[in-house]
Amino acid sequence: MDDETFLLLLLSDSNLPTGSFVASSGFESYIKHGFGGDQNNRTIMFMRDSINAYARSALAFVSDTHRIVQDVHRDVEQGSEQKSDFDKYLQKIKEVDDLYDAMTLNDVTKRASKSQGVALLTLYSKGLTPPLAFTGVKNRKEIEIEVNSYMASLVAQYKSLVRAESAPGHLPICWGILTGALGLTLERSQYLHIFLHARSLLSASVRLNEIGPYNAQQTLLHISRSVIEAAVVRCKDLRTGIPSSTGTESDQPDGVDDKSRGPANTWPLGEILAARHDLQHSRIFNS
């Protein structure tokens, strides 16, 4: 089994301590407000709308953050990493994070996104960093160890910014940091992020007694897959419009206008329902 396949298995483990089990992405509010028709269809209807909206709003931030972290990988491997460059990378990640914070329109969604984001940074620093130290010998193995050391430092410093409330620490940005630090390819990072969003929605539906656990797995295999694939294909090239960490004016794909091919909120109803979550008299989920 290659390293990336094993990483995919590890990151898709439902036992990872990321806090996603306490979030319904507005589904609880959706049900309480009577949307979606009959019980058999509303889980699928909400899942389709939520996946499409989340992919359009979040994937650009996952992608740009992942690219920044991959730039750190490249510089360390080439021996060109300097402290000033390291601070520049942290600042670029913070710019992406601040933009996502500005585009997230309600406090309930912000709260859930931040709590899951910092959980991912904690997961990396406490559970996924290799227990190795750099010895200074520049063979391939030692370069790999040095990269891991820089990644651990990058995550730790950004987590400190989040804890100090100097950076928001939103979920898509922290996912980009985590998967970039682990060396997962951008395409796999994008697909897995949207897959985990779909899985958490179905998990919420089970706990709300909307569908059963067998039906959830059936939906994930036969219905969610095509929705996830279509959403990622449609949104995988979206960019935030923030210049790259390399200092160039833009690293948008040729012919792509970030005003039309940037992140956007395409499901206002979802935002409204999520914002009204805390107004319910009784709640199972935090969002």
Side-chain angles (χ1 to χ4, degrees):
M1 182 185 298
D2 62 81
D3 290 345
E4 189 170 53
T5 300
F6 191 77
L7 272 176
L8 289 171
L9 294 174
L10 180 68
L11 293 174
S12 61
D13 184 0
S14 60
N15 290 320
L16 283 180
T18 62
S20 61
F21 63 92
V22 299
S24 73
S25 299
F27 186 45
E28 185 175 13
S29 180
Y30 183 85
I31 294 170
K32 292 288 183 67
H33 285 85
F35 288 95
D38 66 87
Q39 187 171 354
N40 292 329
N41 292 326
R42 59 188 172 197
T43 293
I44 295 174
M45 291 177 64
F46 181 85
M47 180 194 69
R48 289 182 189 277
D49 289 335
S50 182
I51 288 174
N52 288 324
Y54 185 71
R56 183 62 199 265
S57 64
L59 272 190
F61 294 91
V62 171
S63 301
D64 278 10
T65 307
H66 188 280
R67 289 184 176 95
I68 294 169
V69 176
Q70 286 300 296
D71 285 345
V72 180
H73 264 286
R74 183 201 62 234
D75 285 355
V76 174
E77 289 179 345
Q78 294 175 354
S80 60
E81 175 64 33
Q82 303 292 329
K83 185 181 186 304
S84 59
D85 294 330
F86 200 75
D87 293 339
K88 177 186 69 178
Y89 292 128
L90 287 171
Q91 182 58 35
K92 281 297 177 184
I93 293 172
K94 184 178 180 302
E95 285 182 35
V96 176
D97 208 353
D98 285 340
L99 179 58
Y100 188 81
D101 189 68
M103 290 187 60
T104 305
L105 303 180
N106 69 80
D107 291 336
V108 176
T109 302
K110 284 185 177 183
R111 182 182 66 212
S113 179
K114 289 178 180 180
S115 65
Q116 292 178 75
V118 75
L120 288 178
L121 299 181
T122 303
L123 170 65
Y124 182 86
S125 59
K126 289 188 175 182
L128 300 178
T129 49
L132 299 169
F134 177 52
T135 65
V137 182
K138 292 289 187 175
N139 58 41
R140 182 63 203 171
K141 182 62 177 177
E142 296 297 336
I143 290 175
E144 186 177 314
I145 293 171
E146 186 180 15
V147 169
N148 289 331
S149 177
Y150 267 90
M151 290 300 106
S153 180
L154 180 76
V155 173
Q157 289 191 44
Y158 199 73
K159 182 182 173 185
S160 295
L161 291 176
V162 174
R163 292 297 193 192
E165 298 185 353
S166 297
H170 281 292
L171 174 59
I173 286 77
C174 294
W175 178 260
I177 294 173
L178 174 73
T179 54
L182 291 172
L184 200 66
T185 64
L186 176 56
E187 183 181 23
R188 293 289 179 87
S189 175
Q190 293 169 331
Y191 272 99
L192 184 56
H193 190 55
I194 301 304
F195 168 82
L196 292 176
H197 179 73
R199 192 185 67 181
S200 69
L201 293 177
L202 292 172
S203 175
S205 183
V206 171
R207 279 173 284 154
L208 288 165
N209 290 321
E210 286 291 301
I211 59 175
Y214 294 122
N215 193 357
Q217 295 305 312
Q218 185 183 48
T219 302
L220 192 61
L221 176 61
H222 296 289
I223 299 175
S224 301
R225 179 176 179 177
S226 61
V227 178
I228 293 167
E229 288 180 345
V232 173
V233 168
R234 186 166 56 250
C235 301
K236 66 180 181 179
D237 292 326
L238 298 181
R239 306 301 298 276
T240 63
I242 294 176
S244 71
S245 57
T246 57
T248 57
E249 291 184 2
S250 176
D251 53 354
Q252 293 276 7
D254 291 341
V256 172
D257 177 10
D258 62 2
K259 293 181 180 179
S260 61
R261 296 293 294 165
N265 177 3
T266 59
W267 192 33
L269 174 62
E271 285 286 345
I272 295 169
L273 290 172
R276 292 182 59 83
H277 179 273
D278 287 356
L279 300 179
Q280 298 173 86
H281 294 295
S282 61
R283 301 184 298 274
I284 296 174
F285 297 93
N286 290 338
S287 68

